[in-house]
Amino acid sequence: MELTTFWFGLIGLLWVGYLVLEGFDFGVGMLMPFLARNETERRVVINTIGPVWDGNEVWLLVAGGATFAAFPEWYASLFSGFYLALLLILVALILRGVAFEYRGKIDSETWRQRWDLAIIVGSFLPALLWGVAFANIVRGVPLDADHQFTGTLLTLLNPYALLGGLTTLLLFALHGALFLGLKTRGPIQAEAVSVAFKLAVPAVGVAAAWALWTQLAYGAGWTWLAVLVAAGALIGAAVAAFQRREGLGFALTSLALAAAVVLIFGSLFPDVLPSTTDPAFSLNTTNASSTHYTLVVMTWVAVLLTPFVLLYQSWTYWVFRRRIGTEDIPPTAGLPRLIQAPAER
């Protein structure tokens, strides 16, 4: 196997890890206002992802770093063409991360509500924009002979890409609801599994429409398998939610997200960023890659270090595997407000 092909596949695998793990983080954040009615329940919801959300984002850093090192032309064209969308994702992720750390620092309902809004928005925007970005990568963007993006933001907001964004939004919400059902107990668990079943119907419909559009317009013959696996997994997740088998449902939504990445990368190969201006201007695994020596060094680094990352993250999930409920939440411990509004004095 060519090293360029190996790294293309490995980058796809890193995106599987990111979308499966960070996907339920986004889902939990988006669903918080619907599943948590008071501060104690909000803390339960947040604590389900509190120990792992930052570790899940490592997959994004590694996927981005691997793309930069293995396919620098691809990385450069993506960041020049998708600059505003990626900036919005970055700002949303920063706000969400700060909100997790800051919302409990001051014992003030107004303070917590503002940071909760940051968590919700910081989960909603990436969930939507990642789908828009990946759909545009599959569809292709206007590139000139120098592989420079010649479109605008409106170029990226085409019907196919917007459908892709709605697909990831619904899939992450469903994924997050099943994760909450898996990690909580009591009323929150019951409500989360109920919401998962309600989300499953629109998620299956929208995802099916996007997957069929992708397969018919851009897919290869063998990627029909990915479409069928994703469809079967999502239908199975809906049945599992109805039967209140949240563990099975979560495994099936994870499989569906993995199949979606296979569909995306399988539809692309051997291109990494097609050009809608002229197919000759497209970036592929050959003209976008680093030198052979660079890829060899990267391969050895990946072989030696990746097992340690996997072991550490697996250990983290094992340590925090227990379900939690409202009875596990201690009293609020934030600092009192030292500065009051004039009306409160």
Side-chain angles (χ1 to χ4, degrees), residues 87-150:
L87 178 63
L88 288 173
I89 290 174
L90 179 60
V91 171
L93 292 178
I94 291 172
L95 283 176
R96 190 182 65 132
V98 171
F100 285 137
E101 301 296 336
Y102 273 49
R103 72 177 305 277
K105 299 300 184 183
I106 295 179
D107 187 10
S108 164
E109 187 64 24
T110 301
W111 172 270
R112 287 190 291 264
Q113 286 175 354
R114 290 171 179 170
W115 288 117
D116 288 346
L117 180 61
I119 292 174
I120 296 164
V121 174
S123 300
F124 177 87
L125 274 181
L128 175 70
L129 292 178
W130 279 129
V132 172
F134 275 111
N136 274 297
I137 291 173
V138 173
R139 176 179 178 271
V141 295
L143 297 176
D144 60 19
D146 295 322
H147 303 144
Q148 296 294 315
F149 179 78
T150 59

Side-chain angles (χ1 to χ4, degrees), residues 19-20 22-32 34-35 127 166-182 189 191-208 230-242 245-257:
L19 296 181
V20 168
E22 188 78 330
F24 68 72
D25 288 346
F26 293 146
V28 169
M30 289 187 289
L31 293 174
M32 186 171 65
F34 305 101
L35 296 177
L166 183 59
T167 299
T168 51
L169 185 72
L170 289 171
L171 287 181
F172 290 158
L174 172 61
H175 197 45
L178 288 166
F179 177 78
L180 281 172
L182 186 62
Q189 179 196 19
E191 185 66 20
V193 177
S194 176
V195 167
F197 179 67
K198 294 174 184 176
L199 283 169
V201 175
V204 170
V206 172
L234 285 178
I235 294 172
V239 174
F242 177 74
R245 300 173 64 187
E246 60 274 2
L248 175 60
F250 180 76
L252 289 172
T253 52
S254 300
L255 178 60
L257 288 167

Side-chain angles (χ1 to χ4, degrees), residues 2-12 14 61-76 265 272 283-299 302:
E2 292 284 340
L3 283 179
T4 52
T5 303
F6 169 79
W7 275 98
F8 180 77
L10 182 57
I11 290 170
L14 292 172
L61 299 177
V62 177
T67 304
F68 171 76
F71 301 102
E73 285 279 349
W74 185 16
Y75 184 92
F265 277 71
V272 294
L283 286 169
N284 55 50
T285 55
T286 300
N287 64 17
S289 71
S290 295
T291 64
H292 178 74
Y293 179 76
T294 300
L295 295 178
V296 170
V297 173
M298 288 175 58
T299 301

Side-chain angles (χ1 to χ4, degrees), residues 198-278:
K198 294 174 184 176
L199 283 169
V201 175
V204 170
V206 172
W210 182 80
L212 286 175
W213 190 342
T214 301
Q215 177 61 38
L216 295 175
Y218 312 106
W222 67 271
T223 52
W224 273 110
L225 178 61
V227 175
L228 295 175
V229 169
L234 285 178
I235 294 172
V239 174
F242 177 74
Q243 297 176 342
R244 311 195 71 79
R245 300 173 64 187
E246 60 274 2
L248 175 60
F250 180 76
L252 289 172
T253 52
S254 300
L255 178 60
L257 288 167
V261 175
V262 172
L263 174 61
I264 290 168
F265 277 71
S267 301
L268 273 175
F269 189 80
D271 289 337
V272 294
L273 188 61
S275 171
T276 57
T277 305
D278 186 332

